[in-house]
Amino acid sequence: MVFNASRLINKTVLITGASAGIGAATAILFAKAGSNVIIVARRAEALKSVKEAAEAAHRESGVQGGGKIAAVQLDVSDKAQIANLLDKIPADLRNIDILVNNAGFVRGVERVGSISESDIESMFATNVFGLISMTQLLVKDMKARNSGHIINLGSVAGREPYVGGSIYCATKHAVRAFTGSLMRELVDTKIRVTEIQPGMVETEFSVVRFRGDKSAADKVYEGLTPLSAEDIAEEIAWAASRPPHVNLAEVFVLPTNQASPTISYRGGKM
Ligand code: 8X3
């Protein structure tokens, strides 16, 4: 590993939405760097394979230290499950150094007036309330220890709204506001707060947006090279591995040929 990832050795990181995409890639990268990783997601089977991949990545890296991987099946939109989360984590991994609030999704492209209540509620329940509940739970211990790092996944959609994305954009604007307040509240502590704001990342995210329509999902990336889950994992690991006096407050990361949610270059077509 070229950057100073040695700062990640023996750190304990908890990642939500870790069964696929950015969350899974982040779990694997931290395991490789010698962190202990708690992977949290709804899907038990997928969690199992990410756990195995993270364990293998740690073994193959040859890095000494860390490498303990725990999987916890949990839906961040369920407050009762979050209240019991710490009991489900092995005792030696309960001092969490880094929380990566990654769980989030978009469903549908309907315009205001035609959006289903259940889509509105489920996006807010996971992207906003889940992220807030996880932060509320873990920031208490971080404050008591006066150390820690909270890394929230925002989005280009949290900086600039777009047509057909009102609810998703609203959730990501909420994440940005919440993260900004949190960073300001913790200014007199050693706790760092970072928001990662990706643009187009090719994961199952787009397939969920189009309710399983893979060809509609693929069209989003036509003619340009999107970011990969691994690209974002690197930004997260980079932020987490800076020296303790350095806080990357915001990391806005786009594919080279994307400039905003609606401006991109696709081989001659804007
Ligand atoms: C995902 C980026 O552009 O699809 O957070 O809203 S975008």
Side-chain angles (χ1 to χ4, degrees):
M1 212 154 292
V2 285
F3 62 91
N4 199 343
S6 62
R7 295 193 192 97
L8 300 179
I9 294 175
N10 282 321
K11 296 281 182 204
T12 298
V13 52
L14 186 150
I15 304 164
T16 67
S19 56
I22 294 171
T26 304
I28 290 164
L29 187 56
F30 273 90
K32 220 182 245 179
S35 299
N36 300 310
V37 188
I38 304 156
I39 53 175
V40 171
R42 284 174 304 179
R43 291 176 287 178
E45 270 310 297
L47 265 182
K48 199 166 156 259
S49 56
V50 175
K51 182 176 188 287
E52 286 165 5
E55 284 165 345
H58 180 259
R59 257 194 323 273
E60 284 157 22
S61 73
V63 173
Q64 298 298 312
K68 292 180 197 158
I69 317 295
V72 178
Q73 188 187 3
L74 173 127
D75 181 348
V76 298
S77 71
D78 183 335
K79 291 196 171 62
Q81 288 185 29
I82 290 187
N84 296 322
L85 170 62
L86 288 173
D87 298 338
K88 295 189 192 159
I89 296 174
D92 58 339
L93 297 182
R94 286 192 194 143
N95 279 344
I96 292 154
D97 299 297
I98 303 158
L99 165 62
V100 181
N101 273 316
N102 163 71
F105 70 94
V106 56
R107 185 176 295 120
V109 290
E110 291 78 18
R111 296 188 180 201
V112 178
S114 307
I115 309 167
S116 79
E117 282 302 316
S118 69
D119 284 343
I120 298 168
E121 280 163 19
S122 61
M123 276 187 266
F124 268 91
T126 295
N127 302 9
V128 183
F129 302 139
L131 178 145
I132 292 172
S133 299
M134 286 297 301
T135 307
Q136 287 247 88
L137 179 75
L138 295 180
V139 79
K140 283 189 205 139
D141 277 356
M142 288 183 182
K143 283 182 181 180
R145 285 183 273 128
N146 194 21
S147 75
H149 195 163
I150 295 167
I151 302 179
N152 290 340
L153 268 290
S155 168
V156 63
R159 301 171 58 99
E160 187 183 328
Y162 52 84
V163 170
S166 59
I167 305 305
Y168 181 69
C169 292
T171 67
K172 290 297 179 178
H173 275 72
V175 168
R176 192 174 188 198
F178 177 76
T179 309
S181 291
L182 184 65
M183 187 186 70
R184 287 159 176 79
E185 286 183 11
L186 295 174
V187 71
D188 59 347
T189 74
K190 293 183 177 164
I191 304 167
R192 298 186 287 179
V193 180
T194 295
E195 192 191 359
I196 309 283
Q197 302 162 343
M200 275 184 236
V201 185
E202 189 166 17
T203 62
E204 64 185 35
F205 177 89
S206 187
V207 181
V208 176
R209 183 197 302 259
F210 291 101
R211 303 182 195 282
D213 182 343
K214 180 88 170 70
S215 67
D218 288 347
K219 273 212 175 69
V220 173
Y221 311 115
E222 235 167 53
L224 58 70
T225 306
L227 301 168
S228 66
E230 289 72 21
D231 292 328
I232 303 305
E234 285 193 12
E235 297 307 324
I236 294 168
W238 171 256
S241 60
R242 295 310 80 222
H245 68 285
V246 177
N247 184 42
L248 286 188
E250 292 188 357
V251 181
F252 181 28
V253 49
L254 296 169
T256 304
N257 291 130
Q258 181 184 16
S260 81
T262 54
I263 301 175
S264 52
Y265 178 76
R266 295 162 193 271
K269 284 182 260 160
M270 288 279 274

